[in-house]
Amino acid sequence: MAVVIAAGLDKDVAGAPLFRGVSFKLERGDRMTLAGRNGAGKTTLLRMLVGETSVDGGELAFEKGARVALHDQRPPRERDLTLREYVLAGCAELVALEERLRRSEAEMAERPHDAELLDRYARDQARLEHAGGWNWRERALTPLHRLGFADVDLDRGLDTFSGGELTRASLARTLAADPDLLLLDEPTNHLDIASLEWLEGYLTGLDAAVILVAHDRWFLEAVGTSVLELEAGRGRFFPGPWHAWRRETAAREIALGKAIEKQQRELARMERFIERFRYKATKARQVQSRVKRIEKVERIERDPRDTRSLGFSFGAAERTGRVVLELEDGRLEVPGRTLLKDGELWLERGEHVSLVGPNGAGKTTLIEALAGRRPIEGGRLRTGHNVTIGYLSQHADELGTRGTALEAAQRATRLTPNKARALLGRFLFSGAEAEKPLDGLSGGERRRLSLAILVASGANVLILDEPTNHLDLDAREALEDALRAFDGAVLLASHDRALLDAVGSRTFAFEDGRLRAYEGGWAEYARVREERREAEAASAAAAKQERRAGSARSERRTRSGPSKNAQRRVADLEHEVERAEAALAAVEDELSDPALWSTPSRSERSTARHDAARRAVAEAYARWEQATADGHPT
């Protein structure tokens, strides 16, 4: 049964239509991504679905009793709560459900044969089990831990956390509510790669319908099963993954361009005929016919917003020495903590290097040190010959808040007003937009302004800290193209895996207070990291098995010696356990493919396969443990 059905939704803003006729249908396991330019109505549509904004036309229908939850970028209103209280307060429906079950139990003691009461109790109990049973509070706090919070954070007041931490807390609260329809507006903001990967797995296994808005292309590809495109005031539903929609969009754009060119050629041909024979009496009827045809033609045109797209490139980089940056035995500290010790990092001419690691590991601190914005606490940092560094901070702090966008560009680049305006025009600050005050710019506008200044800097070494923050998809792809074409050196710290995959050719990773170098870009680093995790897990499993076997052998030695048949049986069962664990590992590796969880039926089959493999391991262990305990074959 569908969780939500939208039929012909209309929405007006300030008396003008925002969109018309938006329709879609979602069932459990469906994960629809919203695509469209800023201002197309994506966030407004989410707020319509949660009931925060009115529906001006069309119909919305929800599954009976469906619970809807929205995560967006607004900070929590409640600041006098602890983190634990804030998250659990989002689960008020579960608290009420517990109380309802307790009342029902008391009533059933008095009316044990009341069919209606028994049916209501069964439904409520099934709902609580779906949320984790009577231990749902422990399950509700799991997202907090997986989104980067520690146990010591749970009883801190909300007013002690940063804005980014509060955004992650809001996401955890929304997930903890266990809704039937989950609405996520930019859920990937402020998440590191480990949290992103966990969230992808969580959403693909969720027994709910999901609608999300995001600019992280890797995330959209991993999670989405369909796309709703909001364009020019209309909605277009595409049943398929993100990359297929992008391919279809590109094909549609090519077809539109060809249709426009064909129509323009036909119109030009008719206009030439009219101009040539306008005053010739024998052609008057044909001229009038063509004039009427031109008047009736419905012109094929692009949305005016299509012409406003970001596209830029960095100039040719002036040649440097072979090594442009080198850190030896580097040490970085912040009050009360050492971020990096014995750090080794080097960047060569023309190299594009990625820097990755969890939030709080020290990436920004290291970036600032390499860019000359702060000292290092130990070691040596050398800059190569003829190096000019262009630095982009995570929040574009280098822009300041004084003056206008135009004045900031002139201060940083020393360009004349006309040349500065031309530069800003390439970054979508045309006309009066160049006069916007800095303190009134959006996050995306500040990022575009800082990119404009970076392009004009003439730097031959770029040091970039989360450069895609606040950028939409088109701008991210424009930055990706520009960095790939840049012939200077790049050091890039980012959680945008699509950007890392496209740009990086070598990777440095923060791991337990040290820097570890990996040859290759993101894909190679991710492969090596996963292989190491699997090897560590296998080693831990083997050690656990050996401890169990050793304990069993010791116990057997205290008894009368088992028969040879019993010993052979135990050895066979040990091999059976190993085979079952290997089969489980193979199934889990195969099920890491999001495609196997893309529909409810596929999710059901995948879950069944995983459960069967886990049962096989448990049963093999049970037979082996019984055999070792008894000292004879079972």
Side-chain angles (χ1 to χ4, degrees):
M1 179 179 177
V3 176
V4 59
I5 299 175
L9 297 184
D10 298 339
K11 183 62 185 175
D12 297 334
V13 175
L18 178 63
F19 52 70
R20 289 285 182 267
V22 172
S23 300
F24 57 87
K25 172 184 172 183
L26 295 178
E27 299 181 352
R28 293 181 182 274
D30 290 341
R31 297 179 296 278
M32 183 176 76
T33 63
L34 297 184
R37 294 174 177 79
N38 291 338
K42 300 187 294 295
T43 296
T44 300
L45 177 58
L46 295 181
R47 292 179 180 172
M48 290 168 66
L49 290 166
V50 81
E52 293 184 2
T53 299
S54 64
V55 177
D56 296 333
E59 294 184 1
L60 266 178
F62 296 91
E63 179 184 68
K64 184 178 180 181
R67 291 154 292 112
V68 184
L70 167 66
H71 162 73
D72 59 18
Q73 297 301 300
R74 292 174 292 185
R77 296 188 183 92
E78 310 92 332
R79 294 301 178 95
D80 57 345
L81 301 177
T82 66
L83 179 61
R84 184 197 308 271
E85 290 169 340
Y86 170 67
V87 171
L88 294 182
C91 306
E93 191 267 345
L94 294 177
V95 175
L97 187 63
E98 281 184 326
E99 182 58 31
R100 204 158 61 239
L101 281 167
R102 291 190 180 99
R103 288 199 306 268
S104 295
E105 287 171 353
E107 292 174 17
M108 286 191 301
E110 299 175 359
R111 307 195 309 274
H113 303 298
D114 187 327
E116 183 179 345
L117 175 60
L118 291 172
D119 182 59
R120 185 175 73 239
Y121 181 83
R123 289 197 307 271
D124 286 346
Q125 189 175 47
R127 165 73 189 97
L128 189 66
E129 287 299 322
H130 185 276
W134 292 98
N135 294 322
W136 65 264
R137 287 173 179 81
E138 180 179 344
R139 176 176 171 179
L141 295 176
T142 297
L144 275 176
H145 294 107
R146 302 309 296 266
L147 295 176
F149 294 97
D151 286 337
V152 294
D153 297 322
L154 296 179
D155 296 312
R156 285 173 52 192
L158 291 184
D159 57 357
T160 67
F161 292 101
S162 68
E165 288 171 326
L166 290 174
T167 298
R168 287 189 277 128
S170 172
L171 175 59
R173 171 177 163 137
T174 305
L175 298 179
D178 190 39
D180 301 297
L181 176 60
L182 177 61
L183 311 175
L184 301 176
D185 194 357
E186 295 293 352
T188 63
N189 284 358
H190 306 289
L191 299 189
D192 59 23
I193 290 175
S195 296
L196 283 169
E197 291 176 335
W198 172 81
L199 182 60
E200 287 168 357
Y202 179 88
L203 293 178
T204 54
L206 197 61
D207 182 30
V210 181
I211 303 177
L212 60 96
V213 177
H215 291 143
D216 186 316
R217 293 159 290 170
W218 199 288
F219 179 80
L220 291 170
E221 178 61 28
V223 173
T225 60
S226 62
V227 180
L228 178 66
E229 178 185 9
L230 295 178
E231 181 182 9
R234 295 288 176 183
R236 180 184 288 108
F237 181 81
F238 181 84
W242 178 259
H243 75 272
W245 170 75
R246 293 286 282 178
R247 186 168 58 242
E248 192 264 353
T249 302
R252 196 168 68 232
E253 177 65 21
I254 292 171
L256 175 62
K258 290 180 177 178
I260 291 174
E261 290 176 3
K262 181 178 179 181
Q263 186 183 70
Q264 289 175 343
R265 286 196 302 270
E266 179 64 16
L267 289 172
R269 186 183 63 78
M270 287 191 289
E271 287 168 353
R272 284 197 304 272
F273 183 93
I274 293 168
E275 187 63 29
R276 181 177 180 184
F277 298 110
R278 181 185 299 274
Y279 303 108
K280 194 167 185 178
T282 57
K283 298 288 187 179
R285 182 176 295 176
Q286 292 165 290
V287 167
Q288 286 304 311
S289 173
R290 283 165 173 76
V291 169
K292 291 178 180 178
R293 283 170 60 188
I294 289 176
E295 290 173 349
K296 292 179 179 180
V297 167
E298 185 175 344
R299 304 294 176 111
I300 303 173
E301 297 177 341
R302 298 181 187 276
D303 186 321
R305 293 169 293 186
D306 285 344
T307 61
R308 285 177 55 85
S309 60
L310 183 64
F312 64 94
S313 62
F314 296 96
E318 190 174 349
R319 188 176 177 84
T320 66
R322 184 179 65 83
V323 177
V324 296
L325 283 175
E326 186 172 18
L327 177 67
E328 290 184 357
D329 301 321
R331 184 178 184 86
L332 293 174
E333 296 177 355
V334 292
R337 184 179 169 209
T338 298
L339 297 174
L340 178 66
K341 53 187 176 182
D342 302 325
E344 304 283 339
L345 181 146
W346 63 97
L347 181 64
E348 297 188 3
R349 179 177 58 235
E351 233 189 345
H352 292 183
V353 171
S354 302
L355 178 65
V356 300
N359 284 337
K363 299 188 300 298
T364 292
T365 305
L366 176 58
I367 284 282
E368 290 174 347
L370 295 173
R373 301 301 176 106
R374 60 150 289 160
I376 58 175
E377 281 67 39
R380 289 175 295 177
L381 175 59
R382 292 190 291 273
T383 303
H385 172 68
N386 200 34
V387 166
T388 302
I389 292 176
Y391 169 63
L392 199 67
S393 71
Q394 185 169 157
H395 302 293
D397 298 322
E398 62 273 12
L399 294 176
T401 58
R402 180 174 55 87
T404 66
L406 178 61
E407 290 168 345
Q410 286 186 263
R411 280 198 304 268
T413 64
R414 307 297 182 187
L415 293 172
T416 65
N418 286 341
K419 289 185 177 179
R421 282 186 179 277
L423 171 68
L424 292 179
R426 292 164 54 198
F427 288 83
L428 309 186
F429 291 96
S430 57
E433 291 178 321
E435 303 290 349
K436 283 186 175 181
L438 283 176
D439 58 4
L441 296 182
S442 68
E445 288 171 329
R446 286 183 68 85
R447 179 55 83 203
R448 283 191 277 114
L449 177 56
S450 62
L451 283 172
I453 292 170
L454 186 67
V455 165
S457 70
N460 51 19
V461 177
L462 304 180
I463 298 180
L464 313 176
D465 190 6
E466 297 292 349
T468 58
N469 275 2
H470 305 293
L471 292 183
D472 61 22
L473 282 166
D474 289 341
R476 288 180 182 220
E477 291 177 345
L479 174 62
E480 178 183 302
D481 292 340
L483 290 177
R484 291 175 66 180
F486 180 56
D487 58 0
V490 177
L491 180 62
L492 167 67
S494 180
H495 293 144
D496 187 330
R497 290 159 294 173
L499 182 69
L500 293 173
D501 188 51
V503 175
S505 58
R506 191 157 56 86
T507 304
F508 283 93
F510 266 94
E511 296 178 357
D512 300 320
R514 296 184 182 275
L515 280 175
R516 184 168 178 173
Y518 294 85
E519 290 300 324
W522 168 256
E524 180 64 15
Y525 162 70
R527 183 188 65 78
V528 173
R529 181 193 58 172
E530 190 59 31
E531 288 177 353
R532 189 167 73 239
R533 285 178 180 172
E534 292 174 355
E536 290 170 354
S539 176
K544 181 178 179 181
Q545 183 177 332
E546 179 58 31
R547 287 195 299 272
R548 287 184 175 181
S551 175
R553 287 194 295 269
S554 175
E555 184 178 347
R556 287 200 306 272
R557 282 195 295 269
T558 64
R559 305 177 183 177
S560 58
S563 67
K564 290 184 178 180
N565 285 339
Q567 294 176 21
R568 189 179 302 112
R569 175 60 172 163
V570 168
D572 290 343
L573 289 173
E574 287 177 355
H575 291 310
E576 186 178 323
V577 168
E578 292 172 359
R579 288 192 296 271
E581 288 181 331
L584 174 59
V587 168
E588 289 178 338
D589 183 60
E590 183 180 346
L591 295 182
S592 65
D593 181 359
L596 296 177
W597 304 87
S598 59
T599 65
S601 61
R602 287 185 176 181
S603 294
E604 184 177 352
R605 290 195 297 271
S606 297
T607 300
R609 288 182 58 200
H610 191 223
D611 289 346
R614 290 174 60 188
R615 282 197 303 273
V617 171
E619 291 167 359
Y621 263 117
R623 289 192 293 271
W624 172 76
E625 288 171 349
Q626 184 64 46
T628 55
D630 293 347
H632 57 75
T634 58

